[in-house]
């Protein structure tokens, strides 16, 4: 290794330049992050290279979620870069989401110069001199973590990190990069040409892996061939493996119903007659209805975590379960573990019958919920069902949708059909509020498609400042903020489960649209006062080239379609019906909200 102070040496490059070139070779088009002294050399190298676009976020958590949204919509490796100290620590919740949700990311984290380690350096996380070790922080939430001790070692560590991130189970890889190592010069590996300029390889994640177990394949195929009725529950793994066509083909050959997990609405056409609905705590009663009629429940691309199986436990226990996934399921059953596309093709090849119609079923009928439609200050409260119907009417078929946490998330998962040719992403790995603002921007910049972000006011106040990033980069993102002036899911839990003795999570009214409009005069901002007004604003945003922002008022007491709240929603509905009978009111006067 040659230091920067030695001056350039023939046949050498700065390590930061080598790294930027390798990102381009891997098909990376964007690097998201927040700059700082100990990562500025990499940003400089990316700028000079001209192939990878550096995008500066407002917060490192959102920088990670930008890389996450980029990876989920392109199937490329998402890259985030941050400086040392607080910048590095701010990466943790985003990387934890990517780890739990199996999203392939590479985090490049600056560190103080090696000579200062253990000497009281600013933001020292070397583990020396009584400092804590950043590696010990990142290792539990990464598939690979290493400190790059010298420039030449990057030649070995970088491909290992990239491979670990993109090998099942996928997840983040972390490289800790001291500043002097980034600046050092290194010899190019033998046979290594100059970094590509302007030519982006596809960079899609590699398929394949260990061969499928023949005995498990035979057992799974025999079980499915012997079943008269099958319910498929498909998960996010189908999208990650780009296996939608294989899933559809197997479902047709089995004559199966198809349900999806809450984070995988886009893996099967929501308008297909086979579509049974969403499984789990935000799902549809029809899924349990089909499961009780099924001989076999086939899990595809999901381990069926708790949010996806909530309310189905008894029916699952009474049904044979088969799982095709890269990992074993959380429920008892027969598993074929391996590459999902290969598994689907292999099993389909053993189902000799042609396409069959599925048995008749009610379909994903929405769960009724209760909540008033009353004036809210200068505007009007818009019920979630009406608002999401307006979103559905305006949503382009190739748009991406990113849905945040809370009442907005539960309602959107339950009520809003996924676009036919876009992603419908719900980050359930950690379920962090505010994830969508960065993720939607990353997806929009990566694909150039109109991307919808659906979030509540709580999520907006956490990470909605990333609207600034969207404006700066003219990202085609439509932000839709459902403002109930509360952390409403928390407030409902407090009311239903803790006696309603506190109101910590209910806030004074804010006019989010007015605030955003004042901050960003060039941004198309609407404060929607009705579902029709919302639809009009969304359609206008679709025709633009950059971001748009819409806020609407919702009722914090509207009960979302969320299984733990269902008994309280039913009790509220009974009380409403009793009042309706006593007062002889008609339906128009009551203006009751019925989801769907």
């Amino acid at each position: 290794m040659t230091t920067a102070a030695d001056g350039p040496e023939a046949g050498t490059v700065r390590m930061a330049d080598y790294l930027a070139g390798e990102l381009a070779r891997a098909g990376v088009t964007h690097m998201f992050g927040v700059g700082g002294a100990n990562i500025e050399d990499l940003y400089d190298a990316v700028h000079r290279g001209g192939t990878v676009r550096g995008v500066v976020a407002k917060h490192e958590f959102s920088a990670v979620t930008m890389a996450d949204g980029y990876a989920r919509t392109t199937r490329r490796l998402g890259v985030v870069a941050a400086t040392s100290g607080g910048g590095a620590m701010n990466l943790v919740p985003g990387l934890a989401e990517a780890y739990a949700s199996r999203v392939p990311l590479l985090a490049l984290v600056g560190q103080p110069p090696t000579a200062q380690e253990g000497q009281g350096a600013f933001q020292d996380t070397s583990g020396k001199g009584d400092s804590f070790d950043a590696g010990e922080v990142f290792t539990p939430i990464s598939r690979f973590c290493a400190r790059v001790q010298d420039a030449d070692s990057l030649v070995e560590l970088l491909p290992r990190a990239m491979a670990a991130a993109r090998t099942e189970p996928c997840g983040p890889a972390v490289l800790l990069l001291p500043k002097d190592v980034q600046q050092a010069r290194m010899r190019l590996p033998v046979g290594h040409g100059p970094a590509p300029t302007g030519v982006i390889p596809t960079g899609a994640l590699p398929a394949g892996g260990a061969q499928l177990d023949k005995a498990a394949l035979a057992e799974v195929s025999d079980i499915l061939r012997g079943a008269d009725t099958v319910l498929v529950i498909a998960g996010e793994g189908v999208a990650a493996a780009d296996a939608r066509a294989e899933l559809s083909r197997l479902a047709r050959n089995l004559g199966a119903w198809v349900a999806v997990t809450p984070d995988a609405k886009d893996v099967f056409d929501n308008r297909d007659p086979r579509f049974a609905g969403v499984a789990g705590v935000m799902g549809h009663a029809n899924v349990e209805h089909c499961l009780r009629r099924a001989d076999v429940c086939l899990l595809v691309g999901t381990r069926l975590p708790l949010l996806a199986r909530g309310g189905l436990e008894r029916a699952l226990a009474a049904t044979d379960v088969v799982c095709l996934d890269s990992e074993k399921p959380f429920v008892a059953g027969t598993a074929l573990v391996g590459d999902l596309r290969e598994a689907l093709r292999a099993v389909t090849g053993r189902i000799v019958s042609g396409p069959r119609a599925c048995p008749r079923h009610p379909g994903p009928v929405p769960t009724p919920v209760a909540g008033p439609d009353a004036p809210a200050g200068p505007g009007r409260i818009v019920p979630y069902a009406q608002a999401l119907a307006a979103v559905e009417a305006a949503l382009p078929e190739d748009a991406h949708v990113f849905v945040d946490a809370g009442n907005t998330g539960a309602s959107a998962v339950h009520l809003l059909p996924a676009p036919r040719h876009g992603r419908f992403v719900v980050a359930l790995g950690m379920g962090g509020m505010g994830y969508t603002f960065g993720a939607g921007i990353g997806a929009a910049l990566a694909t150039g498609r109109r991307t919808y972000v659906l979030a509540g006011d709580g999520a907006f106040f956490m990470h909605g400042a990333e609207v600034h990033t969207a404006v700066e980069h003219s990202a085609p993102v439509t932000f839709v903020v459902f403002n109930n002036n509360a952390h409403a899911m928390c407030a409902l839990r407090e009311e239903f489960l803790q006696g309603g003795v506190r109101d910590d999570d209910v806030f004074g009214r804010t006019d989010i649209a007015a605030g955003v409009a004042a901050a960003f005069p060039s941004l198309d901002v609407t404060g929607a006062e009705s579902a029709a007004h919302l639809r009009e604003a969304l359609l206008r945003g679709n025709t633009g080239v950059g971001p748009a922002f819409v806020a609407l008022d919702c009722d914090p007491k509207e009960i979302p379609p969320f299984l733990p709240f269902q008994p309280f929603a039913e009790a509220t509905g009974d009380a409403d019906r009793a009042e309706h009978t006593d007062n002889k009111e008609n339906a128009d006067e009551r203006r009751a909200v019925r989801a769907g």
Side-chain angles (χ1 to χ4, degrees), residues 205-232:
L205 301 183
Q211 288 192 339
L212 298 173
D213 181 272
K214 293 182 179 179
L217 173 60
E219 184 176 7
V220 164
S221 301
D222 288 344
I223 293 172
L224 292 173
R225 277 198 303 265
D228 290 327
T229 53
V230 177
L231 171 66
V232 174

Side-chain angles (χ1 to χ4, degrees), residues 52-398:
V52 179
R53 179 181 177 184
V55 177
V56 175
K58 309 289 93 63
H59 192 282
E60 290 83 1
F61 169 78
S62 290
V64 181
T65 67
M66 288 178 193
D68 180 303
Y70 171 102
R72 294 199 204 214
T73 52
T74 66
R75 300 186 63 249
R76 289 191 172 112
L77 180 69
V79 177
V80 60
T83 193
S84 50
M89 295 302 101
N90 283 341
L91 299 172
V92 169
L95 294 180
E97 166 61 40
Y99 181 90
S101 292
R102 311 305 194 239
V103 180
L105 301 184
L106 175 64
L108 304 169
V109 185
Q111 297 285 279
T114 53
Q116 297 178 11
E117 293 176 355
Q119 303 300 314
F122 179 58
Q123 299 180 334
D124 185 5
T125 54
S126 64
K128 301 176 182 178
D130 204 32
S131 66
F132 72 88
D133 188 346
E136 293 184 357
V137 174
F138 290 117
T139 293
I141 53 172
S142 64
R143 304 299 175 187
F144 180 89
C145 182
R147 187 178 296 271
V148 182
Q149 300 289 0
D150 58 72
D152 293 328
S153 67
L154 184 71
V155 176
E156 177 217 350
L157 292 174
L158 181 59
R160 286 179 59 192
M162 288 182 171
R166 305 198 299 179
T167 300
E168 293 288 355
C170 297
V174 180
L175 291 177
L176 303 173
L177 306 171
K179 182 174 178 66
D180 58 319
V181 175
Q182 294 176 58
Q183 295 177 326
R185 300 192 70 83
M186 56 181 287
R187 293 191 178 277
L188 287 172
V190 176
H192 193 284
T197 302
V199 178
I200 305 296
T202 59
L205 301 183
Q211 288 192 339
L212 298 173
D213 181 272
K214 293 182 179 179
L217 173 60
E219 184 176 7
V220 164
S221 301
D222 288 344
I223 293 172
L224 292 173
R225 277 198 303 265
D228 290 327
T229 53
V230 177
L231 171 66
V232 174
I233 302 179
E236 165 69 13
V238 175
D242 193 20
R244 293 176 179 83
E246 288 81 2
L247 168 65
S248 181
R249 191 173 302 116
L250 178 58
R252 288 198 307 270
N253 283 9
L254 290 171
W257 303 296
V258 180
V260 295
T261 58
D263 57 348
K265 284 200 76 170
D266 59 304
V267 304
F268 192 81
D269 186 352
N270 293 186
R271 298 161 183 84
D272 190 292
R274 299 180 185 278
F275 184 61
V278 178
V281 298
M282 292 172 268
H284 301 95
N286 182 54
V287 175
E288 182 182 4
H289 170 76
C290 292
L291 180 58
R292 292 190 180 279
R293 294 171 60 191
D295 299 318
V296 174
C297 179
L298 171 61
L299 308 181
V300 179
T302 178
R303 303 175 73 191
L304 210 63
L306 186 59
L307 287 182
R309 69 176 188 270
L312 302 177
E313 291 92 340
R314 290 184 179 180
L316 283 166
T319 308
D320 287 338
V321 175
V322 171
C323 180
L324 310 182
D325 194 35
S326 60
E327 300 176 83
K328 291 184 177 180
F330 291 117
V331 296
T334 304
L336 176 58
V337 177
D339 179 80
L340 185 58
R341 291 181 77 180
E342 291 184 11
L344 285 165
R345 290 169 178 172
V347 172
T348 302
R350 292 178 174 231
I351 306 297
V352 294
S353 62
R356 293 194 288 140
C358 69
R360 293 175 61 87
H361 64 119
V365 178
T367 300
V369 295
D373 178 10
R380 287 182 60 82
I381 287 176
V382 182
Y384 283 99
Q386 293 180 18
L388 290 165
V391 173
E392 180 184 358
L395 189 65
E397 287 199 345
D398 65 345

Side-chain angles (χ1 to χ4, degrees), residues 448-483:
R449 296 190 196 179
R450 177 58 52 179
T451 300
Y452 276 43
V453 166
L454 309 182
D457 53 304
F460 171 80
F461 286 122
M462 287 191 179
H463 291 286
E466 295 303 334
V467 170
H468 180 277
T469 309
V471 171
E472 286 290 300
H473 291 271
S474 297
V477 184
T478 298
F479 300 96
V480 186
V481 176
F482 298 73
N483 181 16

